């Protein structure tokens, strides 16, 4: 049972720094996205919540991204910049940030996102007033300067259905997630060898360990819309590759091939879209058809990405079997080697 935590506007620790709430840290992984990481750090730095530390972790990136981070590091007092060299995956980057954070609650956003006013004060209020340990948060898909294509309309409607993911699939995407430090102190980490799906595995491990999971609809992050057919296809293919890696490394194994199941080839379920799509009931039939058509297209792209991973024998950057369902302990040598400042 996923508990919903509501925080009214009058209850937020909004605007004024208090210094008496839980210490928060936010971890942002980035790879070759100078504009995105600048936008995100500037949004995070605008928060007046105190104490808040920002940890950006970049995997080997182009000179422009590194240069932007150098500039931001001089401009933003709360920012620390770290580098992850071993795996070059989002999960590995997040683990570096976790190991560097000294906070009661660790938040996660992606490097192309912004957060609304009161985002962190709302998170702090929930963790202060409850025993929740893993808190999913909503994401709004938006780009005010963009004329949406059919692909963009689809992406804005269905992407990051975080409540549905948490309630029905047992995880929340790490683009808008907050986790109590005790979870990491107990040894849980993101799988650093997965190129996609590490947030799925982490959420399932959190649930299996019996940590309290919840959702708060009152702190929203914003993600730019994927506005092209190619971008939607690439997202599907990346998910398919991650699915194959998870299949090899976790329960089910390679003797249960996804490509031989009916669900790999059938269109997206309208019943799932009714739960995942924003304002599904208010859409006209033609618009529902557009959403369903693109969802089914992305579904097939996921299967294609999976098949390419099978053909390439792709088990991820590190193809060794997972030693444990937990990541390295935060104080272990392995955890320390996962990145360098």
């Amino acid at each position: 049972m996923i508990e919903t935590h509501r925080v009214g506007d009058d209850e937020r620790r909004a605007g004024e720094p208090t210094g008496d709430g839980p210490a928060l840290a936010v971890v942002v992984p980035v790879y070759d996205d100078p504009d995105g990481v600048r936008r995100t750090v500037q949004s995070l730095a605008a928060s007046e919540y105190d104490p808040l530390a920002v940890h950006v972790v970049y995997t080997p990136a182009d000179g422009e991204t590194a240069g932007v981070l150098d500039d931001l590091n001089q401009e933003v007092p709360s920012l620390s910049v770290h580098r992850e060299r071993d795996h070059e995956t989002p999960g590995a980057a997040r683990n570096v940030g976790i190991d560097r954070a000294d906070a009661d609650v660790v938040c996660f956003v992606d490097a192309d996102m912004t957060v609304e006013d009161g985002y962190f004060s709302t998170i702090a209020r929930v963790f202060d007033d409850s025993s929740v340990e893993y808190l999913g948060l909503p994401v709004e898909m938006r780009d005010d300067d963009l004329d949406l294509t059919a692909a963009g309309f689809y992406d804005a409607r269905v992407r990051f259905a975080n409540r549905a993911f948490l309630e029905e699939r047992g995880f929340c995407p790490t683009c808008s997630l907050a986790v109590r430090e005790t979870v990491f102190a107990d040894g849980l980490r993101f799988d650093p060898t997965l190129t996609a799906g590490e947030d799925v595995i982490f959420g399932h491990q959190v649930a299996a360990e019996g940590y309290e999971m919840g959702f708060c609809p009152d702190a929203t992050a914003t993600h730019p819309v994927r506005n092209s057919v190619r971008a939607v296809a690439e997202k599907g293919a990346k998910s398919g590759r991650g699915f194959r890696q998870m299949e090899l490394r976790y329960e089910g194994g390679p003797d249960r091939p996804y490509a031989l199941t009916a669900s790999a080839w059938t269109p997206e379920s309208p019943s799932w879209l009714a739960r995942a799509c924003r304002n599904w009931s208010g859409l006209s039939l033609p618009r529902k058809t557009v959403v369903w058509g693109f969802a089914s297209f992305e579904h097939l792209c996921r299967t294609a990405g999976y098949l390419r991973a099978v053909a390439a024998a792709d088990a991820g950057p590190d193809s060794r079997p997972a030693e444990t369902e937990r990541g390295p302990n935060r104080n272990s040598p392995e955890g320390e080697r996962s990145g360098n400042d």
Side-chain angles (χ1 to χ4, degrees), residues 97-320:
I98 292 165
D99 291 337
R100 300 304 191 272
D102 182 14
D104 301 310
V105 177
V106 181
C107 309
F108 300 94
V109 299
D110 285 347
D112 50 1
M113 301 181 67
T114 58
V115 299
E116 66 178 359
D117 292 342
Y119 181 84
F120 292 109
S121 60
T122 299
I123 292 171
R125 185 60 179 254
V126 172
F127 279 92
D128 234 8
D129 293 350
S130 74
S131 57
V132 69
E133 294 163 294
Y134 176 102
L135 185 69
L137 302 153
V139 172
E140 180 181 2
M141 302 297 295
R142 187 178 69 207
D143 194 327
D144 295 335
D145 298 324
L146 197 65
D147 292 329
L148 289 184
T149 63
F153 176 81
Y154 157 73
D155 198 68
R157 290 286 174 172
V158 305
R159 195 68 61 199
F160 300 124
N162 289 4
R163 182 193 288 272
F165 282 138
L166 189 54
E167 292 178 345
E168 300 186 28
R169 300 187 177 180
F171 80 101
C172 179
T174 40
C175 59
S176 194
L177 176 68
V179 181
R180 200 179 292 273
E181 189 275 340
T182 51
V183 174
F184 302 120
D186 288 343
L188 282 184
R189 290 294 187 275
F190 294 94
D191 187 331
T193 70
L194 297 177
T195 59
E198 75 287 345
D199 49 358
V200 179
I201 296 298
F202 180 74
H204 292 174
Q205 291 171 348
V206 168
E209 293 288 343
Y211 294 106
E212 183 176 333
M213 306 174 82
F215 186 83
C216 175
D218 301 314
T220 301
T222 299
H223 190 290
V225 172
R226 294 175 179 85
N227 203 38
S228 70
V229 174
R230 179 176 180 176
V232 172
E234 289 174 347
K235 172 62 176 174
K238 178 183 177 183
S239 297
R241 182 184 177 199
F243 192 96
R244 175 57 176 170
Q245 292 169 9
M246 288 188 288
E247 186 178 77
L248 288 174
R249 292 177 57 79
Y250 293 94
E251 183 179 357
D255 57 343
R256 193 184 64 177
Y258 169 72
L260 297 182
T261 65
S263 61
W265 304 101
T266 54
E268 188 61 83
S269 166
S271 62
W272 165 250
L273 290 175
R275 299 188 298 278
C277 178
R278 296 168 177 84
N279 193 32
W280 175 259
S281 62
L283 295 182
S284 66
L285 180 59
R287 291 193 169 189
K288 286 182 178 178
T289 302
V290 168
V291 170
W292 174 81
F294 269 98
S296 299
F297 167 72
E298 184 175 352
H299 193 129
L300 289 176
C301 291
R302 184 163 62 248
T303 300
Y306 171 92
L307 291 173
R308 284 198 294 271
V310 170
D314 184 0
D318 182 350
S319 60
R320 293 171 297 177

Side-chain angles (χ1 to χ4, degrees), residues 22-68:
L24 303 185
V26 56
V27 174
V28 184
V30 61
Y31 182 92
D32 287 353
D33 189 1
D35 294 335
V37 74
R38 181 185 295 277
R39 180 169 58 249
T40 298
V41 170
Q42 289 174 340
S43 173
L44 300 175
S47 171
E48 294 187 352
Y49 183 81
D50 180 43
L52 174 68
V54 180
H55 295 270
V56 173
V57 185
Y58 71 100
T59 54
D62 61 22
E64 187 177 359
T65 300
V68 165

